[in-house]
Amino acid sequence: MAPKDPARTLKALGYGTPPALAPLTYPGRPITTPALLLGDELHDLTIQDALTDVLKDRTPVLAVGSNASPAQIAHKLTRLSLPVRVPMIPVRTRGIGIGCSAHIGRNGYVAAAPYPDPGAALTLVVTWLDEVQLKAVDATELPNYRRVAVPDAPVPGLQLYVSEYGVLTDPATGGAPRPGGGDQAALLTALLRRSPALLALLGPTPDDWVRRAAASPAAREEGTRLLRETGYQTAHWPR
């Protein structure tokens, strides 16, 4: 294990507060180079390290949202008192688009979710989780997401969380999936402007939305229903 280095802490490196605790920062800042998350520190990961014992007995899971942020992964594991030692490696992918899950999550935000897109070519982060970590992250995703194998994966055994609600499509673009993973406040503002019912339930501002949704399962359920009733349809990952 690398020695403790104050310059390598997530705070010092600018990764900030996890989106789970600051919903309007969703999806958080992702890593951009191979890294090893150790507690609250982030260390460089060489390919040689990755090919020796670092990735041994771990499951690669592709992140399309906040799981690409080391701050979010560290938060998910530390709140369960689990060791935080997670390799995180950007990988070039094809055929996977990033949309918005057609539901409101427990932290109040509208999270990203993948959908099949034959023309997509994106660099996304793969987190390599051991058996205990994988079960813990699964628990944070269920029942809103399910973990599936990635077809034609660039990494053997690659997994992916897909939304049980599908992704939002946008009538303004002829029913194409609405892009996800961007500015959360801008997304919520657009949804509030389109729906007087959502505005009455969760508005008038994105701050109000995340505060009210995080505090009330009933508000999240009703908000999710309203997303479907205000012109948005959903596109699902095939089973």
Side-chain angles (χ1 to χ4, degrees):
M1 177 180 293
K4 288 289 185 178
D5 182 353
R8 305 306 302 175
T9 65
L10 296 179
K11 182 177 180 180
L13 293 172
Y15 283 95
T17 305
L21 301 180
L24 290 183
T25 69
Y26 183 91
R29 180 185 166 195
I31 63 126
T32 56
T33 59
L36 182 63
L37 177 63
L38 291 172
D40 67 343
E41 297 182 3
L42 200 63
H43 295 269
D44 294 337
L45 180 65
T46 68
I47 296 300
Q48 184 59 42
D49 287 337
L51 293 176
T52 54
D53 65 341
V54 176
L55 305 184
K56 185 179 179 181
D57 298 325
R58 290 175 176 267
T59 299
V61 183
L62 190 66
V64 300
S66 62
N67 285 347
S69 167
Q72 186 84 324
I73 290 293
H75 172 74
K76 288 186 175 186
L77 297 178
T78 55
R79 66 190 293 268
L80 296 173
S81 300
L82 294 177
V84 181
R85 184 176 186 270
V86 181
M88 305 180 72
I89 303 174
V91 172
R92 191 66 172 170
T93 66
R94 296 187 181 277
I96 298 172
I98 300 177
C100 302
S101 182
H103 83 290
I104 300 171
R106 62 176 66 91
N107 295 311
Y109 47 66
V110 176
Y115 64 91
D117 180 359
L122 301 171
T123 297
L124 301 173
V125 175
V126 176
T127 59
W128 298 76
L129 305 174
D130 66 26
E131 183 177 357
V132 174
Q133 293 168 343
L134 183 61
K135 289 180 180 179
V137 175
D138 276 352
T140 69
E141 305 293 342
L142 299 172
N144 297 318
Y145 296 84
R146 58 189 167 90
R147 181 160 48 86
V148 301
V150 176
D152 301 318
V155 174
L158 188 61
Q159 306 283 297
L160 174 69
Y161 292 107
V162 301
S163 176
E164 294 285 23
Y165 297 85
V167 297
L168 293 176
T169 59
D170 191 346
T173 59
R178 173 181 280 274
D183 185 320
Q184 182 70 190
L187 170 63
L188 300 187
T189 296
L191 295 174
L192 288 168
R193 285 176 178 169
R194 183 172 181 84
S195 170
L198 277 172
L199 185 66
L201 177 69
L202 297 173
T205 70
D207 290 281
D208 294 315
W209 175 308
V210 296
R211 174 176 53 82
R212 292 174 178 169
S216 171
R220 295 195 296 272
E221 182 178 355
E222 177 64 5
T224 296
R225 185 184 68 80
L226 289 172
L227 284 176
R228 289 179 169 80
E229 292 190 353
T230 53
Y232 291 98
Q233 304 298 317
T234 57
H236 287 267
W237 190 272
R239 289 187 178 270

